[in-house]
Amino acid sequence: MMNVVSMVKALESPTIVQSFMALWEHDEGSVQFWRASSNFVYVWKRGYDRYFLRFSNARDRSLEQIQAEIHFMKYLGEQGYPVVSPLPSKNGKLIETVQDRSESYLGVVFSQAEGISLDWETMTDQQWEQWGNSLGFLHQLSKGYPASHAKRNSWKEIGGFMEAILERHPLEVEARVELAQVNAWLHSMSSSSNQYGLVHYDFQLDNVFWNEADATFSVIDFDDSMYHWFALDLANALADVREGQGDEEKMVLFLKGYRSVNEIDEEQIQLMPKFARFGQLYQFTKLLQALGTETEIQIAPDWYHRLRKKLQGILTLRREAFRRPWE
């Protein structure tokens, strides 16, 4: 989640999008705002094809991390994994930079994923199993992924990020205790190549698209990919089921599909609640960063005030969760 004040300022400056779109061939009048969260996303057309422009403030996403993200995605595609492709600009670049006032923004364009979105409440058994298979295939390929010139962050760098954010918020005592517990636990874990590698991090249904023709999922959004234990991806993907909102039999199907292409220790499965706590703490610190410490904008769109209230509500829920015993 980006800083909400920066979000308002960027959305009020149409020249950013215009400057980016001048760098890619597109149909006039087809550019539309899609969403803003960790990045700004706009959808546009060229002929019959749809594409997505994703850009963010260079302070939030480094060039090296985006290069590493694209490198991993291209590797997956070359191995036959159904993943969206980056589209070069008119300049032949996969990543372009735009200046707006004193800010610098980094942008990438991706093709549209093939397939449709699914709802886990209405998915068939086959789709549940194939969802797990798709994640297992990704992890299997991750084991063979060669180190690139620009390497994605690991949980250690993410831990450093979380610590830096919490240092700016000294009253978040429970979160600091949670971070110490999470770090101590992860440092005690073995990062063997069989259980550890580059994970997607957000392999939920809004980032995978079902292709009925060949019964596969196409995958998008590797923006949060990091080096971690593979079980973190399972914990995040199955969050609704683990929290009692879904049928546990579906999780069995998911794991069956996963294990059909990539083995994972039962001990790792049992540790999913702890991996989930890492994700919840990471979300908490990102939301703290998004809300910032500066004074609120007084004259702002209605959505800005609603968003702040929503994020503050999530922070309250996370603070309550940090009080749970560390098992």
Side-chain angles (χ1 to χ4, degrees):
M1 187 76 194
M2 72 183 78
N3 180 277
V4 292
V5 173
S6 298
M7 184 186 296
V8 172
K9 293 178 179 178
L11 289 174
E12 289 180 344
S13 178
T15 57
I16 302 174
V17 179
Q18 293 169 0
S19 297
F20 272 121
M21 291 312 306
L23 298 168
W24 276 273
E25 297 285 357
H26 62 283
D27 293 349
E28 194 69 27
S30 69
V31 182
Q32 294 182 329
F33 173 75
W34 188 257
R35 68 184 181 192
S37 182
S38 297
N39 302 279
F40 300 97
V41 181
Y42 286 76
V43 61
W44 51 274
K45 294 182 68 177
R46 188 171 70 187
Y48 294 104
D49 298 321
R50 293 176 85 213
Y51 297 92
F52 292 82
L53 165 68
R54 188 195 78 189
F55 67 89
S56 57
N57 195 299
R59 292 180 297 175
D60 299 326
R61 291 286 187 274
S62 72
L63 175 62
E64 292 75 20
Q65 285 297 289
I66 299 174
Q67 287 174 331
E69 173 195 0
I70 291 175
H71 188 278
F72 183 51
M73 293 176 71
K74 290 180 69 175
Y75 161 78
L76 292 174
E78 290 166 357
Q79 304 303 311
Y81 192 78
V83 61
V84 294
S85 303
L87 179 71
S89 69
K90 297 175 184 177
N91 300 323
K93 296 181 180 180
L94 295 178
I95 307 170
E96 288 282 6
T97 303
V98 160
Q99 300 291 330
D100 184 72
R101 291 168 285 188
S102 60
E103 300 291 345
S104 179
Y105 296 86
L106 298 170
V108 185
V109 167
F110 291 103
S111 59
Q112 180 177 354
E114 296 184 7
I116 60 172
S117 296
L118 296 179
D119 184 334
W120 61 268
E121 294 179 327
T122 58
M123 286 169 60
T124 65
D125 289 354
Q126 179 199 22
Q127 289 166 338
W128 273 93
E129 189 169 333
Q130 189 58 39
W131 184 20
N133 178 278
S134 181
L135 183 57
F137 186 19
L138 190 155
H139 290 170
Q140 183 64 36
L141 292 174
S142 178
K143 294 177 184 179
Y145 176 56
S148 65
H149 62 285
K151 186 178 179 181
R152 290 294 294 181
N153 287 331
S154 75
W155 63 271
K156 294 179 181 179
E157 285 79 29
I158 300 301
F161 161 81
M162 293 192 285
E163 183 175 4
I165 296 298
L166 292 176
E167 285 178 354
R168 302 175 206 162
H169 298 268
L171 297 182
E172 301 289 353
V173 177
E174 291 165 326
R176 294 172 69 90
V177 171
E178 182 80 354
L179 177 59
Q181 292 173 319
V182 166
N183 277 338
W185 169 58
L186 291 177
H187 276 287
S188 72
M189 297 276 289
S190 170
S191 56
S192 70
S193 60
N194 193 48
Q195 307 289 323
Y196 181 93
L198 193 50
V199 304
H200 182 281
Y201 186 77
D202 193 12
F203 205 81
Q204 295 190 330
L205 288 175
D206 54 348
N207 287 325
V208 298
F209 297 83
W210 175 250
N211 190 328
E212 185 69 36
D214 55 8
T216 61
F217 282 96
S218 296
V219 184
I220 67 169
D221 198 1
F222 286 74
D223 189 41
D224 276 321
S225 57
M226 67 179 74
Y227 283 92
H228 213 294
W229 285 266
F230 294 141
L232 174 67
D233 262 351
L234 278 75
N236 289 344
L238 296 170
D240 290 329
V241 178
R242 292 187 306 96
E243 293 170 6
Q245 301 178 44
D247 188 343
E248 289 191 8
E249 291 183 3
K250 302 301 184 183
M251 185 165 71
V252 173
L253 290 170
F254 183 98
L255 292 174
K256 177 183 177 183
Y258 182 93
R259 283 175 163 148
S260 69
V261 287
N262 189 60
E263 188 53 55
I264 188 166
D265 293 345
E266 183 61 33
E267 179 185 2
Q268 294 284 306
I269 300 297
Q270 297 304 316
L271 289 173
M272 282 199 296
K274 286 189 175 183
F275 284 112
R277 291 184 74 148
F278 170 91
Q280 291 161 3
L281 181 61
Y282 186 31
Q283 179 198 43
F284 181 84
T285 54
K286 288 195 292 185
L287 293 184
L288 282 180
Q289 182 188 44
L291 289 170
T293 56
E294 68 268 40
T295 305
E296 286 190 49
I297 301 176
Q298 296 305 315
I299 302 177
D302 289 342
W303 65 259
Y304 165 79
H305 300 292
R306 292 196 301 269
L307 178 59
R308 286 190 66 93
K309 184 177 180 180
K310 176 183 176 181
L311 299 184
Q312 288 165 346
I314 297 174
L315 288 177
T316 298
L317 292 175
R318 289 289 171 252
R319 291 185 186 105
E320 294 172 357
F322 294 153
R323 301 189 186 106
R324 297 197 310 265
W326 183 259
E327 299 174 356

